[in-house]
Amino acid sequence: MSRPHPLSGYPEWLPSQRAVEQHVLDSLRRTFELHGFAGIETRAVEPLATLLRKGDIDKEVYVVRRLHAPDDAEVGDDTLALHYDLTVPFARYVLENAGHLTFPFRRYQIQKAWRGERPQEGRYREFCQADVDIVDRDALAGHHEVEVAQVMADALGRLPLPPLTMQVNNRRLIEGYYAGLGVDDAPAVMRHVDKLDKVGPQAVATLLADEAGLVDAQVRGVLALAEVSAADASLVDRVQALGVRDPLLDQGLAELVAVMQGTADLACDRFRVVADLRIARGLDYYTGTVYETRMAGWESLGSVCSGGRYDALASDGAVTYPGVGLSFGVTRAVAPLLGRGLLTTSRSVPTCVLVAVASEHARTASDRVAAELRRRGIPTEVAPSAAKYGKQIRHADRRGIPYVWFPAADGADAGVADEVKDIRSGEQQPADAATWSPPPHDLTVEVLQP
Amino acid sequence: MSRPHPLSGYPEWLPSQRAVEQHVLDSLRRTFELHGFAGIETRAVEPLATLLRKGDIDKEVYVVRRLHAPDDAEVGDDTLALHYDLTVPFARYVLENAGHLTFPFRRYQIQKAWRGERPQEGRYREFCQADVDIVDRDALAGHHEVEVAQVMADALGRLPLPPLTMQVNNRRLIEGYYAGLGVDDAPAVMRHVDKLDKVGPQAVATLLADEAGLVDAQVRGVLALAEVSAADASLVDRVQALGVRDPLLDQGLAELVAVMQGTADLACDRFRVVADLRIARGLDYYTGTVYETRMAGWESLGSVCSGGRYDALASDGAVTYPGVGLSFGVTRAVAPLLGRGLLTTSRSVPTCVLVAVASEHARTASDRVAAELRRRGIPTEVAPSAAKYGKQIRHADRRGIPYVWFPAADGADAGVADEVKDIRSGEQQPADAATWSPPPHDLTVEVLQP
C-alpha cells in the first residue's frame, strides 16, 4: 500500500488536535447535562423516505447499500441512507419511543452526520453536530424557546472559540409586521430579504417590487424592519417606531424580548445574544423563535449554531409533537481553527508520567510503579525500551509527557528512593509512587489570532 | 408519518439505557488514557480498495454513494464504503500520518462500525468498538503484547458486566509445537482445531487424519496441546510434559507466560486471564500472541474482545509497521444485557434538582435558583409548568430526579428561606442555592442475573 492521501471533505486529526476536539465535545456534554438534558444516539441510517420528507436536500443524501446487493435492487423508500442532520432522526426517535418518554422530553445528541456537498472550509461531507431539543406533546410552552437559547449560551460561552454572537428573530413578529403592512405572501418576501447580505438593499427592493408585487411603502417597511438589530430592550421602541400595528407582531416581539432578557445574564466576552430582524433563513420552516450564530472573524463560515421552534417537529397522525432546538456545528466551527493551527493545547497526549526502564530485566519494577500511579488516577506509561536515560527523557519530551520517573535500582539500599524529574524545569526530586501527586494536569485550549 | 419501527440490526436506546452505554464508554476511555493511550477518530468511510484488502469479508461491506450519482457510475476501487472494523482505518491512518506520529504510537479509538450481517443477538449491522493498539516502525518489542493485555484487563475489569475470561494463545508456540511433531501445514491444522468446540475431538481427529494427512501420533499430539488450559505457571510443565521439543515452541511459551504473569495482578472477580491452547481463530492472521474474551453465561455471543500481534499491520513498501492490539465489542457485550433489562442504573436522567415554579410570573426566580445551582456544578432543570406542587413533584419522580427545590415566595420575609425536598425520603429542609450540596449523585450500574 502506497502512502494514502486525505479524502476531501472528511477531516481527520492528529492525536493532539483530536484532544482539542474531544475537549470541546466534553464541555458541550457537561453543560447540556448541567441543564438536565439526557443524551441519546440514533443509528447512522434512516430509510430514504424519512430523510426526503424535507424536500430540498435530496441531492446531498448518501445512500448505503451492501456491496453484494442484487443487481436489480432499485433505490426505493426503504433504501437506507446516512442521516444529514440530527433533527430528522430525532423526530423519528420521538415517534418510535413516545410511549417510553416523559414529556416535555429534553435531549442532547452529539453525533456525526453526512452530506454530499462540495467540500470547502466550514462545509464537510462528514461532520459532527451537537443538538439540544425540547419536545412536548400537543403544545409546547413558550419559555422553552428562552431555555434552549440559555443552554446554548452557557455551552458555547465555555468553549475555546473566537467570540460568538447569536442572532435571534421571531417568525410571528415578521409575519405580524408583514400582515400589518398588508403583505400577503410572507414566505416569498422572507426569501428575498434573505438575500440582503449578498445583493444589498437596492437589489432586494427591486425583487420585492418586481417579483413579490409589493408597493413602495411596503418595500420601505420591509427593509426598515430588516435593519433593526438590538442587544437590549431598545428593540421594542425601534420596532414600534416603524408604526406598524398587529397583534401577532406584538406577540412575536414579546417572545423575542423574553429570549433577550432570559439570556442577558449569560452574556460574556465569548458569547452574546442580539435580536436581528433580518435573520430570515429558517423562518420558512420554523414557527416561532429562530436562531443563528456567527463567529467573529469567521463570518464566511455562515451560521455555526442554528435552530428554532417547530410547531410540528413530528406527528403520527393522532398526536403532534411541537419542539424547539438548536444545533451547533462542531466541525464547522472547530475544523477551520484546528486546520490552521489556531487552537493550541497544553497536553498533546493524556500521559502525565513516563516511568523509565533501567534494563529489560527491571521492566517489571517499572510496571509496578506505573500501576501504583494509575491506581491513584495519574495517567502513566512505561518507557518502550531500556535505552540510555537521556534517550528515554527525549522520548517523553517528544511525546509531550511532563514527568519522567526513575525507579530506585533493584536491591538498592532501603534509604534510596525513586526519583521524578519535571522535564520542563529540569528539577529532579525523590518521590514515592504511593503518595506523589503532580500539579493538576488539566487540558487547556487557547485560541490564537489568525 | 405513522409510528416508525426499529430497524433490525441497528440497536437504539432509551435515555436511561444510553446512560449505561455512555458510562461504559467513559470508563473505557478513562482507563485507556490512564495507560497513556491517545484517542483518535477516523472517518466512517474508506475507499473500497482499502477495505477489501483483507479478502474474506467483502460480502459484508456497505457501499456509500450520493443519491444522485450518475447512473453509469460503477463501483470501483475508489468507491467509498463504511468501515467494518477500526483496524483497517487505523492502519491507513498510520501510513498517512507516519511523519507526524511518535513511535511506538499508542492509540485508542472508540467508534461505530458497520457490517451487512444477518442480525442476531450479539451481531449487529451498526455496532461500537473500543480498540487499543500499539504500533512501531520496523520492529515491535514483545513487552507490548503483555501491555495491551494489561490495558484491557484493567479496562474490562472496571466494567459493570458479567465476569470475563480472556483466553490467550501464541502462534509461535503452536507453530513450534507442530514443527516439533513434524507437521508442515500449520494453518490447515489450526483451521481444523478451530472446529473442536463445534464438532468435538473425534471429528477433528478424523479431519486431521483424512484432510490434513496427519499420522496417529501427530493427531494425538495436536489434540493433547489443544486440551491445555492454565491460569498459572503450571502451563509450562503441562506443555513440556507433552514431550515435544522445538526452539520456536520455547519462545512462544515464554511469551505466553509473560502475558500471564504481567496480567496476574490485574485479575479480579470480574476479569481473569487464562492460557488456552485451543484458541485458533486469528492464529491465521496474527504472528504472536492472540487474545479472545468470553463473558460468563453469555458464551453464545462468542468472543467480545479479540486481537493479537501483526508483524505487518501496515506497510508502504519502504517501511513496515508491526502492531499489537485488542478490540472490545462494546455493542456485542452490552446490547444483549441492555436489551434484556439486565443493567440497571441509579440515574435515568442527569438532572439532580428540579426547581419548582410557583407561577409563570415567578419563573425568572426559579431560573435564578437553577443558574446558581448549575454554577456550582449541580445538574438542574426548571419545572416545565407552574402546575400544583404535587404535580411538579410527580413530574420529578417520573423523570427520576431526586430533589425538588421550592423558591421562597417573591416578597417573602427575609427570614423565609427556599426549601428542598428529597422526594425519595420525603424529607424537606430549608436550603440556600449558594451553599446547598446534594450527596454525590454518581451514576452506578449494576448487572442483574438473567
Side-chain angles (χ1 to χ4, degrees):
Chain A
M1 190 173 184
S2 57
R3 191 171 149 219
H5 297 290
L7 275 180
S8 175
Y10 292 89
E12 280 188 341
W13 306 114
L14 291 170
S16 61
Q17 295 171 314
R18 169 64 183 166
V20 171
E21 187 181 53
Q22 185 71 63
H23 172 78
V24 168
L25 298 175
D26 287 346
S27 177
L28 291 167
R29 182 177 144 201
R30 216 162 30 239
T31 310
F32 297 160
E33 296 193 345
L34 205 49
H35 286 259
F37 285 69
I40 66 161
E41 282 206 332
T42 55
R43 61 191 187 228
V45 298
E46 298 291 334
L48 202 49
T50 307
L51 291 177
L52 297 186
R53 199 152 289 137
K54 248 184 173 181
D56 59 336
I57 51 81
D58 61 340
K59 287 199 184 68
E60 300 173 4
V61 171
Y62 281 116
V63 168
V64 167
R65 312 184 68 184
R66 289 180 63 189
L67 177 57
H68 290 268
D71 276 348
D72 58 352
E74 298 219 337
V75 171
D77 277 1
D78 55 357
T79 300
L80 298 180
L82 296 173
H83 58 223
Y84 54 78
D85 73 3
L86 304 180
T87 305
V88 174
F90 173 58
R92 190 263 311 155
Y93 178 95
V94 168
L95 286 183
E96 189 174 317
N97 297 291
H100 303 283
L101 305 176
T102 308
F103 290 94
F105 177 51
R106 313 152 66 79
R107 84 84 175 80
Y108 74 87
Q109 192 170 345
I110 303 178
Q111 276 186 264
K112 301 272 175 65
W114 295 267
R115 292 189 190 190
E117 299 199 274
R118 216 166 67 85
Q120 52 181 299
E121 192 168 57
R123 300 267 169 183
Y124 305 96
R125 295 188 152 188
E126 177 176 74
F127 52 95
C128 178
Q129 302 270 110
D131 284 25
V132 291
D133 284 273
I134 300 174
V135 60
D136 208 342
R137 239 187 322 230
D138 302 323
L140 178 78
H143 59 78
H144 294 302
E145 294 174 54
V146 181
E147 186 176 7
V148 295
Q150 287 171 331
V151 177
M152 271 297 182
D154 198 6
L156 301 184
R158 292 168 195 251
L159 296 185
L161 293 176
L164 294 161
T165 301
M166 181 178 280
Q167 299 156 295
V168 190
N169 197 352
N170 185 294
R171 165 129 182 181
R172 283 188 261 263
L173 187 163
I174 301 296
E175 280 204 343
Y177 180 89
Y178 288 178
L181 280 178
V183 169
D184 295 329
D185 189 358
V189 172
M190 288 174 203
R191 275 193 295 277
H192 293 307
V193 171
D194 193 26
K195 304 198 181 89
L196 262 176
D197 283 338
K198 231 184 245 168
V199 302
Q202 211 54 36
V204 170
T206 308
L207 286 167
L208 289 172
D210 295 354
E211 311 224 338
L214 268 56
V215 300
D216 262 17
Q218 290 172 327
V219 169
R220 275 196 308 276
V222 165
L223 290 176
L225 187 73
E227 270 170 28
V228 174
S229 162
D232 55 34
S234 69
L235 173 71
V236 177
D237 292 340
R238 296 191 52 194
V239 173
Q240 287 178 344
L242 300 176
V244 177
R245 296 288 170 266
D246 180 89
L248 195 60
L249 163 61
D250 292 343
Q251 186 192 338
L253 189 55
E255 289 171 359
L256 195 51
V257 167
V259 173
M260 306 296 297
Q261 286 174 341
T263 51
D265 288 349
L266 290 157
C268 64
D269 288 354
R270 284 173 163 178
F271 192 89
R272 64 192 195 113
V273 176
V274 301
D276 191 329
L277 305 193
R278 79 161 64 190
I279 295 300
R281 198 189 64 174
L283 283 176
D284 246 24
Y285 309 112
Y286 297 112
T287 52
T289 310
V290 299
Y291 320 82
E292 295 195 359
T293 310
R294 282 172 173 79
M295 194 155 74
W298 297 85
E299 288 77 8
S300 62
L301 299 178
S303 174
V304 297
C305 183
S306 312
R309 179 196 173 106
Y310 277 106
D311 277 340
L313 175 77
S315 172
D316 60 10
V319 186
T320 293
Y321 299 87
V324 60
L326 274 159
S327 175
F328 172 54
V330 181
T331 307
R332 175 174 292 184
V334 172
L337 293 161
L338 274 181
R340 295 188 187 195
L342 296 175
L343 288 172
T344 58
T345 156
S346 59
R347 194 166 81 175
S348 57
V349 288
T351 319
C352 178
V353 179
L354 177 83
V355 182
V357 176
S359 70
E360 279 307 326
H361 183 73
R363 178 170 292 278
T364 312
S366 299
D367 278 348
R368 271 198 302 272
V369 170
E372 182 62 31
L373 292 172
R374 284 183 202 120
R375 204 183 53 75
R376 297 191 299 110
I378 303 167
T380 304
E381 61 187 79
V382 175
S385 83
K388 287 193 177 149
Y389 279 165
K391 204 173 161 195
Q392 296 190 44
I393 292 169
R394 277 198 301 281
H395 177 75
D397 192 34
R398 243 191 340 264
R399 271 177 67 65
I401 302 172
Y403 296 95
V404 178
W405 191 282
F406 303 97
D410 244 15
D413 288 344
V416 177
D418 291 7
E419 298 204 345
V420 64
K421 183 189 194 80
D422 180 333
I423 63 171
R424 296 157 304 183
S425 68
E427 202 183 342
Q428 186 163 334
Q429 290 190 317
D432 180 345
T435 54
W436 178 82
S437 279
H441 184 53
D442 286 344
L443 180 134
T444 57
V445 175
E446 210 185 325
V447 193
L448 308 179
Q449 291 301 319
Chain B
M1 189 176 185
S2 57
R3 189 169 150 220
H5 296 290
L7 276 181
S8 176
Y10 292 89
E12 281 187 340
W13 306 114
L14 291 169
S16 61
Q17 296 172 313
R18 170 63 184 166
V20 172
E21 186 181 53
Q22 186 71 64
H23 172 78
V24 168
L25 298 175
D26 287 347
S27 177
L28 290 168
R29 181 177 144 201
R30 217 164 28 239
T31 311
F32 297 160
E33 295 192 347
L34 205 47
H35 286 258
F37 285 69
I40 66 160
E41 282 205 331
T42 55
R43 61 193 186 225
V45 297
E46 297 291 335
L48 201 49
T50 307
L51 292 176
L52 298 185
R53 199 152 289 137
K54 248 183 173 182
D56 59 336
I57 52 81
D58 62 340
K59 288 201 185 64
E60 300 173 4
V61 171
Y62 281 117
V63 168
V64 166
R65 312 185 68 184
R66 291 179 62 187
L67 177 57
H68 290 267
D71 275 347
D72 57 351
E74 299 218 334
V75 171
D77 277 1
D78 54 356
T79 301
L80 298 180
L82 296 172
H83 57 222
Y84 54 77
D85 73 3
L86 305 180
T87 306
V88 173
F90 173 58
R92 190 264 310 155
Y93 178 95
V94 168
L95 287 183
E96 189 174 316
N97 297 290
H100 304 281
L101 306 175
T102 308
F103 290 94
F105 177 51
R106 314 152 65 80
R107 84 85 174 81
Y108 73 88
Q109 191 170 346
I110 302 178
Q111 275 186 264
K112 301 271 176 63
W114 295 267
R115 292 190 190 191
E117 299 199 274
R118 217 166 67 84
Q120 52 181 299
E121 193 168 56
R123 300 269 168 182
Y124 306 95
R125 295 188 154 188
E126 178 177 73
F127 51 95
C128 178
Q129 302 270 110
D131 284 25
V132 291
D133 284 273
I134 301 174
V135 60
D136 207 343
R137 237 186 323 229
D138 302 322
L140 178 78
H143 59 78
H144 294 303
E145 294 174 54
V146 181
E147 186 176 8
V148 294
Q150 287 172 331
V151 177
M152 272 296 181
D154 197 6
L156 300 184
R158 293 168 195 249
L159 296 185
L161 292 176
L164 295 161
T165 301
M166 181 178 280
Q167 299 156 296
V168 190
N169 197 353
N170 185 293
R171 164 128 185 185
R172 282 188 262 263
L173 186 163
I174 302 296
E175 280 204 342
Y177 181 89
Y178 289 178
L181 281 178
V183 170
D184 295 329
D185 189 357
V189 172
M190 289 175 202
R191 276 191 296 274
H192 293 307
V193 171
D194 194 27
K195 303 198 181 89
L196 262 175
D197 284 338
K198 231 183 247 166
V199 302
Q202 212 55 37
V204 170
T206 308
L207 285 167
L208 289 172
D210 296 355
E211 310 224 337
L214 267 56
V215 299
D216 263 15
Q218 289 172 329
V219 169
R220 277 197 307 276
V222 165
L223 290 176
L225 187 73
E227 271 170 27
V228 175
S229 162
D232 55 33
S234 70
L235 172 71
V236 176
D237 293 341
R238 296 190 53 194
V239 172
Q240 287 178 345
L242 300 176
V244 176
R245 296 288 171 265
D246 179 90
L248 195 59
L249 163 61
D250 292 343
Q251 186 193 338
L253 189 54
E255 288 172 358
L256 194 51
V257 166
V259 173
M260 306 296 298
Q261 287 175 340
T263 52
D265 288 348
L266 291 158
C268 63
D269 288 353
R270 284 172 163 177
F271 192 89
R272 63 191 195 113
V273 176
V274 301
D276 191 329
L277 305 193
R278 79 162 64 191
I279 295 300
R281 197 189 65 174
L283 282 175
D284 247 25
Y285 308 113
Y286 297 113
T287 53
T289 310
V290 299
Y291 320 82
E292 294 194 0
T293 310
R294 283 173 173 76
M295 195 155 73
W298 297 85
E299 288 77 7
S300 61
L301 299 178
S303 174
V304 297
C305 183
S306 312
R309 179 197 172 106
Y310 279 104
D311 277 340
L313 175 78
S315 172
D316 61 9
V319 186
T320 293
Y321 299 87
V324 60
L326 274 159
S327 175
F328 173 55
V330 181
T331 307
R332 176 174 291 183
V334 172
L337 293 161
L338 274 181
R340 296 188 187 194
L342 296 175
L343 288 172
T344 57
T345 156
S346 60
R347 194 166 80 175
S348 57
V349 289
T351 318
C352 178
V353 179
L354 178 82
V355 182
V357 175
S359 70
E360 280 307 327
H361 183 72
R363 179 170 292 279
T364 312
S366 299
D367 278 348
R368 271 198 302 270
V369 170
E372 181 63 29
L373 291 172
R374 283 184 204 120
R375 205 183 51 78
R376 298 191 299 108
I378 302 168
T380 304
E381 61 187 79
V382 176
S385 83
K388 288 192 177 149
Y389 278 165
K391 204 173 161 196
Q392 295 190 45
I393 292 169
R394 278 198 300 282
H395 177 74
D397 192 33
R398 245 191 340 263
R399 270 178 69 65
I401 302 172
Y403 296 94
V404 178
W405 191 282
F406 303 99
D410 244 15
D413 287 344
V416 177
D418 291 8
E419 297 204 345
V420 65
K421 183 188 193 81
D422 181 334
I423 63 170
R424 296 157 305 182
S425 68
E427 203 184 340
Q428 186 163 334
Q429 290 190 316
D432 180 345
T435 55
W436 178 81
S437 279
H441 184 52
D442 286 344
L443 180 133
T444 57
V445 174
E446 211 184 326
V447 192
L448 307 178
Q449 290 300 319

